[in-house]
Amino acid sequence: MDRRSFIQSSAAVLAGGTVPLFPMAAHAADEIVVGSIIDMSGGLDIYGKPMTDCMTLAVEEQNAAGGLLGKKIRLANYDPQSNMQLYAQFAQQSALKDKSTVVMGGITSASREVIRPVLTRNKTLYFYNTQYEGGVCDRNTFCTGVTPGQTVAKLVPYAMKKWGKKVYVVAADYNYGQITSQWVKKFVQENGGSVASIDFFPLDVTNFGPTISKIEQAKPDVIISALVGGAHISFYRQWAAAGLTKKIPLASTTFAGGNEHIVLSAAETDGFLISYNYFQNLDTPQNKAFKDRFYKRFGADYPNITELAMGTYQGFKLWAEGVKKAGSIEREKMIAALESGISIEGPSGKVSLDPETHHCVLNVSIAEVRNKQLNIVETFQQQPPVDTSAVCNLKKNPKDNQQYVIKV
Amino acid sequence: MDLALVVLVQVLYAVASLVIVSAGLAVIFGMMKVINLAHGEFMMLGAYAVIGALELGVNLWIAIFIVAPIAVGLVGVVLERLVIRRLYGRMVDTMLATWGLSLLLVGIVTSLAGNTTAGVSAPLGSFSIGAYSVSGYTLVIIAVAVALALAIRFVLTRTQLGLIARGTMQKPDMANALGISPSRVYSVTFAVGAALSGLAGGLLAPLTGVVPTMGAAFVAKAFITVIGGGPAILAGLLGASTLFGAINQLATFVTTPVLGEVALLVAAIVMLRLLPQGITGRFFKGSL
């Protein structure tokens, strides 16, 4: 028994020996608290539900394997209901009341930017496991999802080689769409192509008629879409209704992230190209074993294990690897361990943390939508986060703490 | 030339969809003075009625034109009896009550149908105008809007039902003295408004993603149209839809979709500054 746990157990005895009165104090020494703030209701729940399932599975697996450092992991789950105010409140609670060792969560970039300063101020480690637009540079934060420097960099040349050099971009009108479309433009130009136009749409726009006519007028070889959310599904629907799915091919950085390929019909989506770190039918032993465990826990009829869900699973695994290496849950020691170049063999392949950016080096695959399935056509091994590393070096500037908008 | 024709079709479509989206609200808010913040959710229910009917194997057109309006009309009857009838003449209170209803309806549908996006493909395929192709369903929307306007006009002017409804809304005590039960007239009128909203939701289901929260995308536009239209129900509805739909669509064509939405709102603000009573507050006075 070390000194700290001796003092704590003595304190519990002194407090009257009545354990049920102070259950938290009595248990704090033999559990590690992991905070999870993921939208289970509201407009983003379509993304959040599979993420939370994967988080639950990851924690259960870790506990079944004996926990970490001989302690059980307790998952402190919060549902911010797609409401930014609740994000701030729950981040505070996770850090101060639960004394979480690490907080994972946030789906949109807006929610991440609400959580991040709260956790940095309270010196609580933060993992953001979602695909996003890149550029976050913060020693306390680890962004384990793919960024445009990894996916767009592969998707755009692939689509241009297959279909042609004139590109038309449609994107959601907030920072994901704005920044991602700049990356699309950069990669199109680098590959000798031209961008006919970039059109942005507020998240609640449902009428795409004029845009569709404009696209026909511009006669591009390929459409790149970074549209997001339920209302924007209308684009794919109206695109097909106008008979264009067969005339002008489409590639997307966001399609299928919310299971759009299951909602829409095969005729509406066949031939779309997408790019992510993880696809459910990735043919590796790790992925097969993962799917067996996942289906056993959540049922064989689970619609689709999404990129964001796998990001959550792998983010947790990376953190656990860091704790094992650090041999401690002290923040500085964990950061040092995570920055030592650790990696895991995840269902998506090898995922390693890049010490300089706190982003991941990971595999990226391109898939084609065919009959409501996502069929992998090519996999690119071990892509570094080139976008964020252009502006961020936490080894050199550990005090850096901001999201860069990368000039492209 | 082809492009001009395509633009014309798109503008007609924008006007038509505003007419369809706002017709139910024109009855419930314009005629009955109930600020129905659950209007978008009535549309959402209509869309879900179509999805549900299709799962039961009902023909798509029957689902849109019959199942959706009847289902939402029935919901309207129930809600009117339980909540709305206690609040006639208290506009601010109807706003609070219907806001609560909208949250409740979103919650109920989410727990029943889940929150994943559902939907149905647009029928009828597409046709070409020169080098452009246009969805055949666009023409259905335009045709339905025309039919809807004619039907509203016919019911309100040529049928006893319409006459009684209009009279009761203006002077309920007088109607009562003439042996008409205002309570029943209110109930039926509210149900008709709800049914029109349901029809709108059903018609839009093949064009948008159907989620429990989809109503939010429509309710603001419907209110802008009905308020911009002013006191005359039909003339106001058509006038405001034409003005706002054309401005929105043309601005979208010339600039971007973001500015298209902005142009619609700026037009509404400028218009209400110049015509505080809406379009029919000054023009088409005394029309229907």
Side-chain angles (χ1 to χ4, degrees), chain B residues 275-287:
Chain B
L275 306 171
Q277 301 295 315
I279 295 173
T280 53
R282 171 166 301 174
F283 307 108
F284 311 109
K285 255 187 179 168
S287 61

Side-chain angles (χ1 to χ4, degrees), chain A residues 102 116 119-121 123-127 135-143 330-340 353-359 388 392-404:
Chain A
V102 63
R116 200 162 65 82
L119 295 178
T120 305
R121 198 164 56 237
K123 296 206 180 326
T124 304
L125 208 58
Y126 175 38
F127 268 64
V136 169
C137 194
D138 175 354
R139 188 157 174 274
N140 190 57
T141 301
F142 291 82
C143 300
E330 205 192 311
R331 189 179 76 115
E332 284 299 328
K333 285 185 184 157
M334 283 193 291
I335 294 179
L338 289 163
E339 280 184 346
S340 67
L353 261 177
D354 173 35
E356 287 171 357
T357 57
H358 286 196
H359 284 54
T388 312
C392 178
N393 189 333
L394 287 162
K395 283 284 189 191
K396 272 196 195 141
N397 315 309
K399 289 222 162 76
D400 208 346
N401 179 0
Q402 62 170 305
Q403 179 178 16
Y404 290 94

Side-chain angles (χ1 to χ4, degrees), chain A residues 45 201 213-214 216 238 242 263, chain B residues 10 115 117 133 252-253 255 257:
Chain A
D45 50 8
F201 302 88
S213 300
K214 267 200 228 170
E216 288 196 278
Q238 290 163 26
V263 174
Chain B
Q10 298 287 3
N115 44 47
T117 315
S133 49
T252 305
F253 259 113
T255 60

Side-chain angles (χ1 to χ4, degrees), chain B:
Chain B
M1 185 58 212
D2 295 345
L3 184 64
L5 207 56
V6 170
V7 173
L8 180 69
V9 171
Q10 298 287 3
V11 168
L12 284 178
Y13 167 76
V15 173
S17 51
L18 273 187
V19 169
I20 289 171
V21 165
S22 315
L25 194 69
V27 172
I28 291 176
F29 173 54
M31 251 175 97
M32 303 179 68
K33 304 296 174 219
V34 171
I35 301 181
N36 182 20
L37 289 184
H39 174 69
E41 279 64 40
F42 283 4
M43 289 180 58
M44 176 270 288
L45 289 179
Y48 269 101
V50 168
I51 304 278
L54 285 179
E55 271 168 22
L56 295 175
V58 178
N59 175 286
L60 177 66
W61 299 110
I62 294 176
I64 291 174
F65 288 107
I66 295 173
V67 177
I70 288 179
V72 182
L74 290 176
V75 172
V77 170
V78 173
L79 292 180
E80 200 270 346
R81 288 280 110 165
L82 290 178
V83 182
I84 308 293
R85 67 182 306 195
R86 293 157 215 282
L87 300 170
Y88 288 123
R90 296 154 58 189
M91 279 176 86
V92 177
D93 299 349
T94 60
M95 184 168 79
L96 280 176
T98 52
W99 185 35
L101 280 179
S102 82
L103 296 175
L104 179 72
L105 291 174
V106 170
I108 290 174
V109 173
T110 306
S111 46
L112 287 178
N115 44 47
T116 41
T117 315
V120 45
S121 310
L124 296 180
S126 62
F127 62 94
S128 309
I129 301 176
Y132 300 89
S133 49
V134 176
S135 162
Y137 198 69
T138 303
L139 297 188
V140 174
I141 298 283
I142 296 171
V144 171
V146 172
L148 208 57
L150 291 176
I152 292 174
R153 190 186 155 74
F154 178 79
V155 170
L156 289 183
T157 54
R158 300 289 163 85
T159 66
Q160 205 183 4
L161 192 79
L163 195 66
I164 290 172
R166 284 197 291 154
T168 309
M169 297 307 148
Q170 280 171 12
K171 288 254 185 301
D173 43 358
M174 184 66 82
N176 202 2
L178 292 171
I180 291 158
S181 158
S183 160
R184 191 189 290 162
V185 175
Y186 276 120
S187 180
V188 170
T189 313
F190 192 87
V192 169
L196 285 173
S197 312
L199 174 67
L203 276 166
L204 291 179
L207 290 168
T208 65
V210 179
V211 275
T213 49
M214 68 182 274
F218 301 104
V219 67
K221 271 187 193 165
F223 267 99
I224 291 166
T225 309
V226 175
I227 292 171
I233 300 152
L234 189 62
L237 178 65
L238 294 178
S241 298
T242 308
L243 183 69
F244 296 148
I247 286 176
N248 180 356
Q249 206 74 335
L250 289 172
T252 305
F253 259 113
V254 177
T255 60
T256 67
V258 180
L259 291 179
E261 300 285 298
V262 173
L264 190 157
L265 290 171
V266 169
I269 292 167
V270 170
M271 203 206 74
L272 285 175
R273 176 69 188 78
L274 298 175
L275 306 171
Q277 301 295 315
I279 295 173
T280 53
R282 171 166 301 174
F283 307 108
F284 311 109
K285 255 187 179 168
S287 61
L288 184 63

Side-chain angles (χ1 to χ4, degrees), chain A residues 15 17 114 125 137 158 191 202 205 217 227 280 295 314 384 391:
Chain A
V114 170
L125 208 58
C137 194
Y158 190 96
N191 287 282
V205 159
Q217 201 182 356
L227 297 171
Q280 187 173 249
Y295 291 138
Q314 293 182 156
V391 288

